[in-house]
Amino acid sequence: MKWANFIYLFLLCCIPVMGFAQIVPEDKSVPELRTVQNLQVADAPNDAGDAVNLFWDFPKDIDKSQITEIRIYRSTDVSGPFRQIDAFPLVTDSYTDEPDEETGHIVSTEETYYYKVALYNGSEEMISQVSEAVSPEISFFNWGRLNVFIILGIYFALILYFIRSSRKGKEIYIRTLPGLEALEESVGRATEMGKPVLYMPGIDEANNIQTLYSMVILRYVTQLVAEYETPLIVTVGKAFVVPLAEETVRQGYMDAGRPDLYNQDIVRYYSDEQFAAAAGVSGVILREKPATNIYLGSFYAESLILAETGFLTGSIQIAGTGNIHQLPFFVVACDYTLIGEEFYAASAYLSKDPKLLGPLKAADWMKILAIGFIGVGAILETFGIDLFTRLLQI
Amino acid sequence: MPNGMNAPETTLEKIERMDRRIVFLAIAITIILPLIWPLGLPIEVSPQVDDFHEAIESIPDGSVVLFPNDYDPASKAELYPMTVAILHHFFKEDRNLKIIGLGLFPAGPPLLQKAFEEVAVEQYGAEYGKDFVNLGYKEGREIVMASMGESIPKTFPTDFFGTPIDSLPIMLGIKNYTDIAILVNVSAGYPGTKEWVQQVVSVFDVLMVSGTTGVSAPEYYPYYNSGQLAGMLEGLKGAAEYETLIEKQGIATSGMDAQSLGHLVIILFIIVGNVLFILNRRNKTKGGRF
Amino acid sequence: MARRSIPTAIAFFFGAMMVVNYFVPWGWFSDRANQVQEWGLIVVAFAYILGALNVMRVHGHKIQRKDEDWRFSIVTIITMVVMLGFGLMPEQWAIGGMERGSPFLWMFDNMYVPMMATMYSLLAFFIASAAFRAFKVRSLEATLLAVTAVIVMIGAVPLGGILLPGSMELRTWIMETLQNVGKRGIMIGVALGAISTSLKIILGIERPYGRD
Amino acid sequence: MWETLGIWIQVFLTLAIFSFLYRDNPFYKFAEHLFVGVATGYWVVLQVRNVLIPNLFQPLFRGFSDPWLLIPLFLGLVLFMRLSDKYSYMSRWGMAAVVGIFAGLAIFGFGGGDLIIQIRSNIMPFIDTEAVQAFTQNAGLITFLNILSNPIFIIGVICVLFYFFFSKEHTGALGVVSKTGIYLLMISFGASYGNTVMARISLFIDRAQFGIVNWIPTVIIGVLMIIAFVVLAITGKVDPKKQF
């Protein structure tokens, strides 16, 4: 439990730091009439040092519909000369001075800039007072994302800690997940019936982490079918997943000591079109009649087409996805469904590998943290304290 | 493993486990008939549709609207009527809004172009390049959204027809999201509303409303609740309600009769299924699996 | 050994670069990171050729072995080759390119598009048959699922508002509150799972690109 | 001419796919195989023309403006090494690069976007004063339910999160809480399911409208297909009672 104490301490230290990061400098106002007032300039935060933000107010009595243009002037000397750098017909109260490759306009960290803003009504322009001096600065860290950094930092630390401790031999308990129990059984059932197992890793591109994760699960499934010598069909709906799946399946057979069972017809590509894949896979389900259909990955509307077709042939259907919008259909039409995070627990569950069980434990701790934030935050909010909401501002 | 494999089935059980093709046939008939002979049932407007309408009303005249239409023919049924209704709203009063259309689905921009031509040009006489523009499709999903934050002209150097966009008057002075008054997204999934919220609203603080398919709508309700989306239209119903708000009855409204009846039939099937289920369970001495 | 660690090193290098880019706004670095993202898309584009080869191979084998329905595999191969041929022909040729009026676009519009829309619309039927089968009061879970679905369905159409006054408001409340409770819980869990999976991949603990 | 032919093909393919609802049959098999072929070809062409040519070959071979592009060229080409037995390990380099980039990007899509924003938007007061006010002004079922919204959100999300606990047996207090969690999930799924019905019916409405507009080919091809099915059933080639 020592570690937990350390985390609490760390968290306590983080809170004030995150609080400070939210502090905004106070306004200093200089009254001015008939044109924009309170012209404020500031280095744009968290950028590459090539932008300056300008903010201003309009006098209350001004008729905004008269303004046809706002013009921005800039100089490197407080006394001028001021050169017009931009003009636009929008009535806004802010502007960002940025470099523009086409016009050759630059904003440099080497210079100090002064600004003026003018309102133009079609015939005359009213120029504001000169702003304060500003010089852009490069920031090497986006302080607005400090909270993301800290929360992910905690998570990463927990993951690495639990991986280490479970490698050292500390047992990590994992509760029974019926869907994954059924997965092993259903492969056995397919063997008895002499029918293949169908595996579909979703239809999403590899940029969806679920697709990548599905490859990890596929390797265990391949090992499983290799032991039973059950035929395997992997249907793929994105081109880049083809080499990934082929590699994974070959690897799985090799790990199981049966590289001879691998053949080039296992992984089948049904084009990137979602519904062409749905049509093709439905065809496989009806004609090759797999005893088990495993849908693990990122699915979209085709989920119900597949699951209903699979129901027709009486296959055992096991689904799992993190795509919230498709979970209802899998839950209704499949025998077992891994809901959201349960899907991400599959590789740890199937392999019982300490390296993979550790992160699960870490995710549980993060959920405690989330529950703490929600619970304590709600109590504080009830009394009008919005500290937590501000800490989590992105 | 269906239970009662050994016991002989009673008539009621047979009806409960009836051929699903009967359901299919019933659905087909109840939807097709009202399309041929409409009934004209009334329509009520939901709050999120009102908010959507309000958000577009709230922007000043002459502002620039970013109008990404992220869908392709697969979702045309629900979303195209929406695009049409929104365009009616943009152009119906002479508000001089400047509409910048684009699409992050490869097959999206041609549909958008069709809508622009059918509504903006033919009905309101709007002019391409002056009142509206179609920037077309750009590969890269979220990357496109993020790089538009840097510069829209650099992300889309040419429009749908390959014309350089600096030759179009509408694009003058438009750099990035700071020049956009509202982001009106019509989205069928990925990349779409969720990504615009993640990449644009939370980073550049842009006012955004979204019209989505009925299926993705529930996923976006959290964004509507947390204020990241100012309003939402969902599915054909959202489009029909919107048509009511802007007083322009169109294809969405006519489809709603079929919708109503379709829903009714499915609900009836569920009720009948449950009655049979309860009767069958009572008739059996042992309840089987459940 | 060295050969084994190359893929892990590559994945780590590019993955870490994306992570650093999120926190470091330094222009030079984010330019590089964006460039790398574009490279990713380019590499992915090469995989489409592998995909076409896979289709050729799988259906070619079917024809070779004279499997059941092997004749239909010929359809797949022929249409794919025709599509590739028209599409990759230079635009200057009368039948090349993918512009308006090209055979490529004609096939897309008259085959791809209607089949996609029709396949999608099959869901109108499946959603009804699945509901008829599964929405039974057999357990508390199933009952809650069925009852909520029915209420929302009634409130979803204008007719429901007439048959059951207040059902539209009730539906909105369910969609905004009850529905989101589950969603939010899942979203938080999914985010945790996805983040740890990403980390495991970057660190090479899980290697979806295979190992030796 | 081409346009009319196009319409007839569209109608035929639409009906061929719909015939799947009746049972698996040669029309569906034909349409399905055609679809996979057309779609595969389409996507290859799209990627070559929209990505490879403008983003790689043009800058690389017309002026050599960006020598760094040799890296993705290399990583893309090694993917094909998998066709050889000896050097197939090299294809992993290309895969690893893409996987690394996507995995790195995913951390923040979820970390910033979903994780923190969802937690944050669930931090709310137990008592929503606005809802209470609305209730006192206009007492009714919905205004009353709106008062309950916040407590349901706070307690409900906590219950759902407890349901996802993996490292503890779900017994005792945790069992009760996680059971509540799964009930809430089921309600949520039911709501989404019911809400989707409309979208799905819309899709069929669109196809039905297409059929109604082009009713002449629809009726002709439809009747011919039905005749074909009857003939197949009479000759015993297909069993209309079975669905596959």
Side-chain angles (χ1 to χ4, degrees):
Chain A
M1 277 288 100
K2 265 189 224 149
W3 239 88
N5 290 337
F6 177 72
I7 293 158
Y8 290 136
L9 197 70
F10 180 58
L11 258 187
L12 277 177
C13 298
C14 293
I15 289 170
V17 176
M18 288 156 81
F20 281 126
Q22 308 294 332
I23 293 173
V24 185
E26 260 179 59
D27 288 3
K28 289 183 213 141
S29 31
V30 183
E32 205 178 341
L33 275 176
R34 302 312 313 157
T35 183
V36 300
Q37 305 170 332
N38 301 340
L39 177 60
Q40 302 277 325
V41 287
D43 168 42
N46 302 324
D47 69 349
D50 54 1
V52 174
N53 286 335
L54 282 74
F55 309 94
W56 57 83
D57 296 335
F58 291 99
K60 278 194 188 109
D61 55 338
I62 202 161
D63 180 5
K64 284 188 188 172
S65 63
Q66 295 291 310
I67 305 168
T68 54
E69 203 170 79
I70 293 182
R71 295 172 176 175
I72 310 286
Y73 291 88
R74 187 178 80 173
S75 165
T76 49
D77 190 287
V78 67
S79 51
F82 280 86
R83 215 167 51 82
Q84 185 177 326
I85 55 169
D86 206 350
F88 43 91
L90 267 182
V91 181
T92 78
D93 57 0
S94 64
Y95 176 76
T96 303
D97 183 16
E98 288 168 314
D100 188 339
E101 272 174 28
E102 282 159 41
T103 59
H105 178 68
I106 52 161
V107 179
S108 160
T109 49
E110 319 266 288
E111 298 275 5
T112 304
Y113 294 114
Y114 300 86
Y115 291 88
K116 283 178 176 181
V117 175
L119 301 182
Y120 184 69
N121 66 5
S123 55
E124 53 177 337
E125 65 177 356
M126 288 147 294
I127 302 175
S128 73
Q129 286 189 344
V130 182
S131 73
E132 284 177 30
V134 62
S135 78
E137 281 167 22
I138 300 182
S139 21
F140 285 98
F141 187 83
N142 189 337
W143 292 100
R145 289 173 178 171
L146 184 65
N147 47 12
V148 182
F149 185 77
I150 290 171
I151 289 173
L152 290 180
I154 295 171
Y155 191 21
F156 289 178
L158 282 171
I159 291 175
L160 297 178
Y161 167 74
F162 282 113
I163 290 178
R164 273 187 63 181
S165 82
S166 65
R167 263 188 185 160
K168 279 186 194 149
K170 202 164 169 239
E171 282 267 320
I172 290 180
Y173 171 83
I174 174 165
R175 79 173 157 93
T176 318
L177 293 166
L180 293 170
E181 288 292 297
L183 200 142
E184 298 193 17
E185 281 167 32
S186 67
V187 172
R189 180 173 170 262
T191 315
E192 281 167 27
M193 298 169 73
K195 286 178 174 178
V197 170
L198 175 87
Y199 188 99
M200 180 142 189
I203 57 143
D204 224 336
E205 187 63 90
N207 64 354
N208 190 315
I209 202 76
Q210 296 179 52
T211 310
L212 296 180
Y213 188 64
S214 187
M215 292 297 119
V216 175
I217 309 173
L218 175 59
R219 202 170 71 228
Y220 298 109
V221 173
T222 312
Q223 286 174 20
L224 217 58
V225 297
E227 280 165 31
Y228 290 103
E229 292 188 35
T230 312
L232 176 68
I233 302 168
V234 180
T235 52
V236 174
K238 282 286 176 288
F240 192 75
V241 183
V242 173
L244 288 177
E246 285 176 349
E247 198 58 39
T248 308
V249 171
R250 206 169 57 164
Q251 205 81 63
Y253 279 119
M254 252 149 58
D255 289 354
R258 297 301 304 272
D260 54 305
L261 291 175
Y262 176 75
N263 71 61
Q264 291 183 321
D265 289 348
I266 292 177
V267 177
R268 303 176 192 175
Y269 173 57
Y270 286 93
S271 92
D272 266 37
E273 167 52 41
Q274 169 184 18
F275 293 104
V281 178
S282 297
V284 171
I285 292 174
L286 289 185
R287 285 159 224 149
E288 306 191 27
K289 302 182 187 63
T292 307
N293 303 337
I294 304 172
Y295 313 115
L296 293 175
S298 168
F299 285 88
Y300 291 85
E302 71 290 343
S303 65
L304 191 61
I305 299 181
L306 302 177
E308 275 293 286
T309 312
F311 172 80
L312 206 59
T313 57
S315 326
I316 293 256
Q317 305 203 81
I318 300 165
T321 180
N323 286 5
I324 299 169
H325 43 85
Q326 294 310 321
L327 277 167
F329 306 108
F330 278 146
V331 166
V332 165
C334 289
D335 300 275
Y336 299 93
T337 309
L338 300 170
I339 300 168
E341 205 186 349
E342 291 178 336
F343 163 68
Y344 287 106
S347 69
Y349 194 90
L350 292 174
S351 69
K352 306 276 192 261
D353 180 347
K355 269 189 305 195
L356 305 179
L357 288 168
L360 275 191
K361 184 93 181 161
D364 277 0
W365 276 101
M366 288 303 286
K367 268 168 268 170
I368 301 239
L369 194 69
I371 289 167
F373 263 95
I374 292 172
V376 178
I379 293 168
L380 291 180
E381 287 273 335
T382 311
F383 296 103
I385 305 165
D386 61 350
L387 173 73
F388 277 29
T389 323
R390 275 193 289 128
L391 289 184
L392 296 178
Q393 179 79 51
I394 298 179
Chain B
M1 291 138 272
N3 49 28
M5 271 297 201
N6 318 320
E9 276 187 322
T10 63
T11 325
L12 277 179
E13 275 171 343
K14 266 187 200 149
I15 301 175
E16 197 197 336
R17 292 177 4 92
M18 74 185 176
D19 197 325
R20 63 177 190 174
R21 284 177 288 189
I22 296 171
V23 182
F24 295 164
L25 193 66
I27 296 282
I29 292 171
T30 41
I31 291 173
I32 293 172
L33 288 186
L35 288 178
I36 303 176
W37 296 287
L39 306 168
L41 300 164
I43 289 167
E44 257 180 79
V45 178
S46 17
Q48 63 270 24
V49 178
D50 233 353
D51 287 346
F52 188 109
H53 185 257
E54 211 41 49
I56 294 183
E57 290 283 300
S58 75
I59 56 166
D61 291 2
S63 346
V64 181
V65 179
L66 192 66
F67 190 37
N69 277 248
D70 304 324
Y71 61 94
D72 55 19
S75 334
K76 182 179 152 243
E78 278 184 279
L79 298 181
Y80 188 74
M82 213 178 259
T83 303
V84 169
I86 295 170
L87 283 177
H88 273 297
H89 190 189
F90 287 154
F91 290 105
K92 150 176 100 104
E93 284 153 34
D94 200 11
R95 291 175 66 192
N96 195 23
L97 297 177
K98 295 180 171 58
I99 316 299
I100 302 180
L102 59 114
L104 297 181
F105 276 48
L111 283 172
L112 177 64
Q113 190 58 30
K114 189 172 161 233
F116 270 138
E117 276 159 22
E118 274 175 15
V119 182
V121 178
E122 281 174 25
Q123 303 196 28
Y124 301 98
E127 207 178 301
Y128 186 87
K130 190 170 147 279
D131 303 305
F132 69 91
V133 65
N134 185 355
L135 297 183
Y137 165 74
K138 177 96 182 170
E139 173 76 29
R141 308 180 180 105
E142 290 102 323
I143 300 165
V144 177
M145 302 179 189
S147 72
M148 284 170 75
E150 294 279 314
S151 163
I152 295 175
K154 259 185 239 163
T155 316
F156 287 91
T158 56
D159 71 355
F160 178 62
F161 302 102
T163 321
I165 64 164
D166 39 15
S167 67
L168 300 169
I170 183 172
M171 296 303 291
L172 284 183
I174 291 172
K175 266 192 181 167
N176 51 32
Y177 294 120
T178 42
D179 305 313
I180 302 293
I182 189 169
L183 199 166
V184 182
N185 184 213
V186 182
S187 153
Y190 173 79
T193 298
K194 184 174 169 191
E195 288 69 34
W196 285 106
V197 170
Q198 284 179 351
Q199 302 290 333
V200 179
V201 175
S202 45
V203 182
F204 300 98
D205 199 25
V206 177
L207 176 67
M208 173 169 170
V209 291
S210 166
T212 67
T213 55
V215 70
S216 20
E219 194 187 351
Y220 303 138
Y221 268 114
Y223 297 130
Y224 173 64
N225 283 348
S226 57
Q228 288 160 295
L229 286 179
M232 272 176 67
L233 301 183
E234 40 169 311
L236 195 65
K237 173 171 166 265
E241 291 174 20
Y242 203 68
E243 283 179 356
T244 319
L245 270 183
I246 58 165
E247 292 162 0
K248 270 267 180 249
Q249 257 80 12
I251 22 177
T253 310
S254 81
M256 277 322 282
D257 286 343
Q259 279 289 356
S260 282
L261 290 186
H263 277 72
L264 203 67
V265 170
I266 296 179
I267 292 168
L268 281 179
F269 268 112
I270 293 172
I271 292 171
V272 170
N274 275 292
V275 170
L276 290 169
F277 174 76
I278 292 166
L279 288 178
N280 286 335
R281 195 162 58 169
R282 199 177 287 164
N283 291 345
K284 270 196 179 169
T285 38
K286 271 190 180 174
R289 209 165 137 200
F290 298 99
Chain C
M1 194 58 216
R3 203 178 85 185
R4 278 180 177 211
S5 39
I6 291 174
T8 319
I10 293 176
F12 177 79
F13 176 77
F14 286 124
M17 197 167 175
M18 297 301 116
V19 174
V20 173
N21 181 42
Y22 184 78
F23 293 109
V24 177
W26 183 28
W28 181 85
F29 191 83
S30 64
D31 284 351
R32 297 290 89 72
N34 290 338
Q35 203 176 2
V36 165
Q37 287 179 30
E38 271 180 34
W39 294 357
L41 297 177
I42 292 172
V43 179
V44 168
F46 276 102
Y48 284 82
I49 300 164
L50 279 179
L53 287 177
N54 178 292
V55 172
M56 281 281 199
R57 201 167 57 210
V58 170
H59 288 276
H61 286 175
K62 269 193 186 167
I63 297 167
Q64 240 174 24
R65 289 193 307 255
K66 296 254 170 12
D67 276 0
E68 207 193 330
D69 297 329
W70 63 275
R71 286 182 183 85
F72 293 103
S73 290
I74 301 177
V75 176
T76 302
I77 291 185
I78 289 179
T79 44
M80 184 177 87
V81 170
V82 168
M83 207 61 184
L84 281 173
F86 282 137
L88 293 177
M89 251 179 237
E91 270 115 54
Q92 292 80 357
W93 299 12
I95 50 165
M98 44 196 281
E99 309 304 316
R100 270 182 204 194
S102 64
F104 180 82
L105 205 66
W106 187 86
M107 281 178 78
F108 176 73
D109 284 340
N110 292 308
M111 296 174 180
Y112 189 125
V113 173
M115 278 196 282
M116 166 164 75
T118 312
M119 204 63 212
Y120 199 177
S121 76
L122 291 183
L123 283 170
F125 301 93
F126 289 145
I127 205 168
S129 65
F132 172 67
R133 192 179 72 241
F135 286 179
K136 301 277 167 72
V137 289
R138 57 167 69 104
S139 63
L140 184 54
E141 277 103 331
T143 311
L144 287 172
L145 188 82
V147 170
T148 326
V150 169
I151 294 176
V152 171
M153 276 165 67
I154 294 176
V157 282
L159 189 64
I162 300 161
L163 294 179
L164 216 88
S167 64
M168 290 192 117
E169 290 78 13
L170 187 61
R171 167 182 173 274
T172 310
W173 184 79
I174 290 176
M175 292 311 288
E176 283 180 4
T177 306
L178 289 181
Q179 198 241 160
N180 275 335
V181 171
K183 296 269 124 96
R184 228 172 238 172
I186 297 176
M187 266 166 127
I188 294 171
V190 163
L192 288 173
I195 294 168
S196 83
T197 305
S198 308
L199 183 73
K200 283 186 279 182
I201 290 171
I202 294 174
L203 295 182
I205 296 172
E206 311 229 51
R207 276 171 281 191
Y209 41 82
R211 351 151 256 180
D212 277 291
Chain D
M1 207 282 272
W2 285 106
E3 210 164 305
T4 322
L5 181 67
I7 295 283
W8 281 74
I9 291 177
Q10 286 189 40
V11 169
F12 168 71
L13 292 174
T14 301
L15 292 174
I17 299 265
F18 274 132
S19 73
F20 179 65
L21 292 172
Y22 160 62
R23 58 158 296 149
D24 191 23
N25 65 72
F27 294 117
Y28 175 73
K29 282 179 194 168
F30 175 79
E32 173 210 318
H33 282 84
L34 181 79
F35 195 3
V36 172
V38 170
T40 311
Y42 175 80
W43 279 92
V44 174
V45 172
L46 203 70
Q47 293 291 322
V48 170
R49 282 190 175 270
N50 285 355
V51 182
L52 286 183
I53 292 177
N55 296 351
L56 184 69
F57 298 145
Q58 292 268 19
L60 210 50
F61 301 125
R62 291 242 177 99
F64 202 63
S65 56
D66 186 358
W68 287 103
L69 284 174
L70 288 172
I71 296 174
L73 177 68
F74 173 74
L75 291 173
L77 288 177
V78 292
L79 285 182
F80 295 95
M81 286 300 189
R82 53 182 308 96
L83 304 173
S84 111
D85 283 336
K86 203 172 162 203
Y87 297 105
S88 68
Y89 67 90
M90 285 171 86
S91 75
R92 271 175 227 139
W93 301 348
M95 289 191 255
V98 174
V99 166
I101 293 169
F102 286 151
L105 284 174
I107 289 187
F108 299 103
F110 286 102
D114 278 357
L115 179 63
I116 294 178
I117 288 176
Q118 289 309 321
I119 294 176
R120 180 170 176 268
S121 48
N122 212 49
I123 297 178
M124 48 177 78
F126 273 98
I127 301 154
D128 182 354
T129 40
E130 273 176 41
V132 174
Q133 255 173 12
F135 179 68
T136 48
Q137 281 161 12
N138 177 20
L141 178 66
I142 301 298
T143 45
F144 174 68
L145 288 175
N146 279 337
I147 297 179
L148 295 184
S149 287
N150 279 9
I152 290 176
F153 262 117
I154 296 162
I155 296 164
V157 170
I158 290 177
C159 289
V160 174
L161 284 176
F162 272 117
Y163 167 76
F164 286 115
F165 257 62
F166 296 113
S167 56
K168 274 260 186 306
E169 190 87 55
H170 286 189
T171 49
L174 181 60
V176 176
V177 173
S178 78
K179 200 81 189 161
T180 317
I182 191 82
Y183 291 149
L184 285 166
L185 284 180
M186 287 302 152
I187 292 176
S188 172
F189 291 157
S192 300
Y193 194 104
N195 196 48
T196 312
V197 172
M198 187 171 67
R200 300 307 181 233
I201 293 181
S202 308
L203 299 168
F204 181 61
I205 290 178
D206 180 65
R207 292 325 288 164
Q209 274 167 340
F210 169 77
I212 293 168
V213 170
N214 302 297
W215 65 273
I216 299 175
T218 308
V219 171
I220 295 175
I221 295 176
V223 169
L224 287 178
M225 263 189 197
I226 291 170
I227 293 172
F229 284 133
V230 172
V231 170
L232 283 174
I234 293 171
T235 53
K237 287 227 172 87
V238 296
D239 180 359
K241 277 189 189 146
K242 283 194 186 152
Q243 293 183 51
F244 57 91

